[in-house]
Amino acid sequence: MYVCTVVTLLAMASIYTSNDSIPNNTQPVGSNPVIIANVDYLGEQRTNSCTHRDLGFLGQLTGRWYAVYGDTLWCKASVTEPSQDPEGFHGMVRDSIAECSDSALRVKFTQLNEDSPVAHPKQFIPCNEAWGKTLTTGFGGTSLCPVDDDNSLIFYLVNQNPDGLVGAGAAQVQLSNDSPTVVKRYGENGWWWNATHEARYGLHLWLGRYEFLHEKPGIRDSMNTGGDVTVLETKHTLNHVQQGDCFAIRTAPAPEGPWSDDVKVYTPTPIDSGFTYAPGVHPYLDSAGKTLTISYTNKNHIQVIKVTLE
Ligand SMILES: *[C@@H]1O[C@H](CO)[C@@H](O)[C@H](O)[C@H]1NC(C)=O
Ligand SMILES: *[C@@H]1O[C@H](CO)[C@@H](O)[C@H](O)[C@H]1NC(C)=O
């Protein structure tokens, strides 16, 4: 991977000396080596609380894996099983974080409130009222992106409902009392890039960081970008994209492409004809890469499949 990446970068540098030779990376190139042997539906993900939520982007802090969720709706007080939750609003946070376990069917929120008998997750990126943030302020977050042994970054988009997008920002995250904790948010108002005229997600920065961080053989990392997931591995980059209602894999030697055609993986059954989205790979469950365990959102349920590759 290391040699491969250096060669790719040198090649790209010469390509960009002439506009004519910039490849059109929206076009599939080459063949896709992935062959799906089997897909098993494993079930719905459970937690140490009771919530409905979406996303669950997977990333690392201090070598441990965490899932970052979007809007996290608390079940009614004392309800322990999400399927038994009565209709209605019972409280929420705009994002939350949970530590992964040896099964994608089980995660553990690391910051719970005082609710009894069922404690509910706290908001991971805290609302700062001095910046005009309230519970109505949406945070479109990415996963944790490690920058060194102790620190990770998370990128997010501040959505000042109902006024719309404000800006994109980055926060530094460290472990505190064994719990991922935002220790700093960059920018005067908690964000860096003004959403009216600048990039909204900071994705390129994130991709670049990942590209250079983990160039050790056998290590694979997942990057989640809204509906997309990219897994870097030693030989190929796998990209799991939502395509209509199905999930597919495409491969590339590097994040900038060129990308292969898609191989269809799985078509979830949408609950109440809703959307299925945000597939995320749990690479820590199989370092050999023979299987891919993928969680995704289906109407605020997090469902899990296991894909076996040939
Ligand atoms: C790249 O390919 C896409 C899809 O076919 C096409 O819509 C687009 O115009 C192409 N871009 C360039 C610069 O050729
Ligand atoms: C963002 O930029 C726009 C101009 O493009 C400006 O009107 C607005 O005040 C800026 N927002 C903030 C919060 O600085």
Side-chain angles (χ1 to χ4, degrees):
M1 177 68 180
Y2 181 77
V3 171
C4 217
T5 302
V6 171
V7 169
T8 304
L9 288 175
L10 289 174
M12 291 309 286
S14 60
I15 282 173
Y16 282 118
T17 57
S18 160
N19 277 350
D20 293 342
S21 53
I22 294 177
N24 186 341
N25 278 346
T26 67
Q27 302 288 348
V29 172
S31 62
N32 189 327
V34 171
I35 301 172
I36 310 288
N38 195 36
V39 180
D40 293 310
Y41 175 74
L42 300 187
E44 293 201 4
Q45 190 182 69
R46 294 284 182 253
T47 71
N48 55 337
S49 177
C50 188
T51 70
H52 314 278
R53 62 197 181 283
D54 72 350
L55 310 183
F57 294 147
L58 295 147
Q60 284 178 284
L61 173 65
T62 70
R64 289 151 72 167
W65 284 88
Y66 296 90
V68 175
Y69 298 95
D71 282 351
T72 304
L73 298 151
W74 301 344
C75 295
K76 193 176 180 187
S78 83
V79 173
T80 55
E81 166 53 48
S83 63
Q84 321 251 299
D85 192 32
E87 290 283 317
F89 179 74
H90 314 298
M92 72 178 292
V93 286
R94 301 310 302 239
D95 52 71
S96 62
I97 190 164
E99 182 161 15
C100 300
S101 72
D102 59 5
S103 165
L105 291 172
R106 182 88 196 165
V107 297
K108 185 181 161 196
F109 290 113
T110 55
Q111 299 170 357
L112 294 173
N113 66 14
E114 306 291 310
D115 288 355
S116 176
V118 180
H120 295 111
K122 293 183 181 175
Q123 183 154 311
F124 174 49
I125 302 173
C127 284
N128 183 339
E129 287 174 18
W131 292 335
K133 307 294 187 304
T134 68
L135 196 55
T136 63
T137 305
F139 291 95
T142 63
S143 64
L144 295 178
C145 170
V147 292
D148 62 27
D149 289 349
D150 299 318
N151 296 279
S152 292
L153 278 180
I154 185 167
F155 295 91
Y156 50 83
L157 185 62
V158 178
N159 185 353
Q160 196 63 287
N161 294 314
D163 297 336
L165 302 178
V166 181
Q172 179 186 358
V173 180
Q174 292 180 343
L175 274 188
S176 171
N177 295 323
D178 219 33
S179 172
T181 304
V182 172
V183 296
K184 177 171 178 155
R185 280 175 63 180
Y186 292 91
E188 276 176 21
N189 297 300
W191 50 268
W192 253 337
W193 299 280
N194 183 327
T196 59
H197 56 82
E198 290 190 63
R200 293 179 171 178
Y201 284 99
L203 178 61
H204 293 292
L205 183 59
W206 192 40
L207 286 170
R209 174 59 75 183
Y210 255 85
E211 194 183 346
F212 295 108
L213 255 191
H214 292 294
E215 291 172 338
K216 295 177 195 155
I219 293 188
R220 299 149 33 102
D221 288 298
S222 85
M223 299 184 290
N224 307 289
T225 63
D228 301 349
V229 177
T230 307
V231 176
L232 296 181
E233 62 173 6
T234 45
K235 288 194 184 129
H236 295 103
T237 301
L238 302 182
N239 189 28
H240 303 257
V241 292
Q242 183 191 13
Q243 283 201 318
D245 286 326
C246 88
F247 300 138
I249 294 180
R250 65 179 64 151
T251 70
E256 66 271 25
W259 291 91
S260 72
D261 220 340
D262 296 340
V263 167
K264 192 172 159 181
V265 177
Y266 184 67
T267 303
T269 306
I271 297 170
D272 297 342
S273 308
F275 296 110
T276 56
Y277 57 100
V281 177
H282 299 240
Y284 54 89
L285 293 175
D286 181 0
S287 56
K290 180 79 181 157
T291 61
L292 299 170
T293 302
I294 298 172
S295 56
Y296 57 90
T297 304
N298 192 347
K299 204 186 178 200
N300 282 344
H301 297 243
I302 306 294
Q303 301 183 326
V304 182
I305 55 172
K306 184 170 181 178
V307 180
T308 304
L309 304 175
E310 263 182 21

